[in-house]
Amino acid sequence: MKKYIVIGLATVTFLLNSCTNGQSQNGQTNLAANEFSAKIKANANSVIVDVRTPDEFSKGHLQNAQNIDWRGNDFDKQINSLDKSKPVFVYCLSGGRSSSAASFMRSNGFKEVYELDGGIMKWRGANLPETTATTSRNLEMTKQQFEVLLNSDKLVLIDFYADWCAPCQKMKPYLDEITQEMSNKVTVVRVNADDNQALCKELKIDALPVLQMYKNKTLTWTNVGYIDKVGVVAAINQ
Ligand SMILES: O=S(=O)([O-])[S-]
């Protein structure tokens, strides 16, 4: 209830701003796809937030984006856990939800918020890259969000990794290749074990790297430790 009052106030603030000199109307924070992309690249510290649903997110999103669903129950809690001093790049499907979310964020102390004008639809129209691989950064994925990722007609390959794990880093380039080369068969999801400790505990992931293959939400294959590309491709084709 409190959230809706806050959201309501944020929306009114946004509308008032839009009618006067709102940031998103002056061309500096509401960016066309190419400008949005260039600004992300220019900001090493940038935080990218996709405010669509986990289901929309799982079908394709910007690289390194975090999914915080604008309509999710804990949007305000999750968004307020981000570093407000960093530039935040927010987008949705076509600009509606990200506009409301950006307004909410500005009124909650975020210093620099950029919106993708026209959302991921314009991004796609500009032929900019997207990924289905999830690299969760600084944001704990819930079991429910994890299960949404498994909801696919294709195989889902989960790569549990950590930045400090040498075999994980060795496997990453060929997992990126598999993401591209076998996209008709498999969706690769990367889960940072350090950022998702509760999820890993629940899934009994107690070593790294771990690969898990799911078919129709059922676990069909697991590999613990280093494995080469040939082994993974064989598991996908089996
Ligand atoms: O809210 S929306 O513009 O993504 S449909």
Side-chain angles (χ1 to χ4, degrees):
M1 181 63 186
K2 208 165 153 199
K3 171 185 165 185
Y4 292 109
I5 293 169
V6 176
I7 290 172
L9 286 173
T11 305
V12 170
T13 309
F14 167 71
L15 289 174
L16 287 174
N17 281 344
S18 304
C19 296
T20 54
N21 62 345
Q23 286 177 294
S24 61
Q25 300 300 304
N26 65 11
Q28 289 183 341
T29 57
N30 198 10
L31 305 176
N34 281 312
E35 294 171 278
F36 195 78
S37 167
K39 198 139 190 108
I40 288 173
K41 284 192 191 132
N43 278 283
N45 274 338
S46 54
V47 175
I48 308 168
V49 179
D50 182 323
V51 295
R52 298 174 301 157
T53 63
D55 192 38
E56 290 174 280
F57 182 80
S58 71
K59 295 190 175 112
H61 53 262
L62 274 59
Q63 183 124 31
N64 292 327
Q66 306 179 15
N67 183 210
I68 306 182
D69 181 359
W70 166 245
R71 299 196 179 114
N73 288 336
D74 56 355
F75 176 85
D76 43 359
K77 185 168 159 229
Q78 289 199 50
I79 212 80
N80 278 312
S81 72
L82 300 178
D83 184 343
K84 297 182 179 179
S85 66
K86 288 187 178 168
V88 182
F89 294 80
V90 58
Y91 72 92
C92 61
L93 181 66
S94 62
R97 283 168 288 181
S98 60
S99 167
S100 304
S103 175
F104 177 82
M105 291 165 76
R106 288 183 190 115
S107 58
N108 274 270
F110 283 83
K111 300 275 176 278
E112 233 181 305
V113 183
Y114 297 99
E115 296 162 51
L116 173 56
D117 189 25
I120 199 168
M121 291 183 75
K122 291 282 185 202
W123 181 273
R124 288 172 178 154
N127 285 323
L128 287 160
E130 62 183 300
T131 180
T132 51
T134 295
T135 305
S136 62
R137 298 157 85 205
N138 313 321
L139 192 65
E140 186 105 18
M141 196 189 313
T142 64
K143 182 88 182 299
Q144 194 192 8
Q145 287 167 327
F146 179 76
E147 281 165 357
V148 171
L149 294 172
L150 305 180
N151 199 359
S152 170
D153 295 340
K154 296 189 273 185
L155 296 169
V156 180
L157 179 65
I158 312 286
D159 169 29
F160 294 95
Y161 77 100
D163 291 334
W164 46 264
C165 158
C168 304
Q169 298 314 318
K170 201 169 161 198
M171 287 160 63
K172 183 178 181 303
Y174 81 67
L175 287 170
D176 288 342
E177 288 168 14
I178 288 175
T179 302
Q180 301 296 326
E181 295 164 2
M182 304 188 80
S183 62
N184 58 333
K185 272 196 165 175
V186 66
T187 300
V188 180
V189 176
R190 304 195 76 228
V191 176
N192 185 320
D194 285 334
D195 290 346
N196 292 281
Q197 293 181 17
L199 177 70
C200 288
K201 195 166 173 200
E202 211 169 338
L203 297 173
K204 302 194 179 358
I205 304 296
D206 54 8
L208 289 176
V210 172
L211 295 178
Q212 289 188 335
M213 188 93 69
Y214 288 83
K215 186 175 185 180
N216 298 327
K217 297 194 200 170
T218 303
L219 181 61
T220 56
W221 178 81
T222 302
N223 183 82
V224 180
Y226 180 79
I227 179 172
D228 64 12
K229 182 175 179 180
V230 174
V232 176
V233 170
I236 293 168
N237 287 329
Q238 82 190 353

